[in-house]
Amino acid sequence: MFHVWKSEVGTTAARALFLNHLTSHNKSIVYYTDKSRTEHGARFSVVRGDHVVLKKILQAASSYTAELYAVLAALVAFCSAPTESVTIVSDCSSALQGILNHHIPYVQPYNCL
């Protein structure tokens, strides 16, 4: 996992580091994920090129849960794509760390083989 904190390096440097790192994934399908949480519930989005998926999830869902749904949606979309590599870009380090540590309640590993 690649970590860059804008607060430590600044916005311009973080952007440059990210774009440089992303070039190492040039054979991957790249998905960008995002989440939001308001008094009306949680939502997530997954973006690949011009294709955007926006979904509203459970009213009580947290921002963390919404990000996990976004990553899962990206993985499901990837499993139907004709490539061997996927890069999922997320700004939710806690969700990514949870996936790496396998401490995600109610989520099983997704096997697309």
Side-chain angles (χ1 to χ4, degrees):
M1 189 164 47
F2 178 71
H3 294 278
V4 173
W5 282 268
K6 287 189 302 187
S7 61
E8 293 179 8
V9 299
T11 301
T12 303
R15 182 178 293 119
L17 287 167
F18 168 74
L19 292 173
N20 185 55
H21 177 76
L22 196 58
T23 62
S24 67
H25 297 269
N26 62 348
K27 294 185 179 175
S28 291
I29 291 180
V30 178
Y31 294 94
Y32 298 87
T33 65
D34 203 7
K35 78 292 188 190
S36 66
R37 175 83 181 96
T38 69
E39 66 274 4
H40 302 294
R43 298 176 179 350
F44 72 86
S45 63
V46 178
V47 178
R48 177 177 173 230
D50 291 339
H51 184 72
V52 178
V53 174
L54 300 167
K55 298 278 183 179
K56 183 176 180 181
I57 60 174
L58 300 173
Q59 176 76 18
S62 66
S63 179
Y64 174 84
T65 300
E67 186 68 23
L68 290 175
Y69 269 99
V71 170
L72 180 60
L75 289 172
V76 169
F78 163 71
C79 286
S80 65
T83 187
E84 296 180 11
S85 179
V86 63
T87 300
I88 299 173
V89 178
S90 170
D91 65 353
C92 186
S93 61
S94 62
L96 297 176
Q97 197 62 51
I99 292 167
L100 288 175
N101 294 336
H102 306 288
H103 297 146
I104 309 165
Y106 312 111
V107 176
Q108 298 298 317
Y110 189 85
N111 185 352
C112 59
L113 299 177

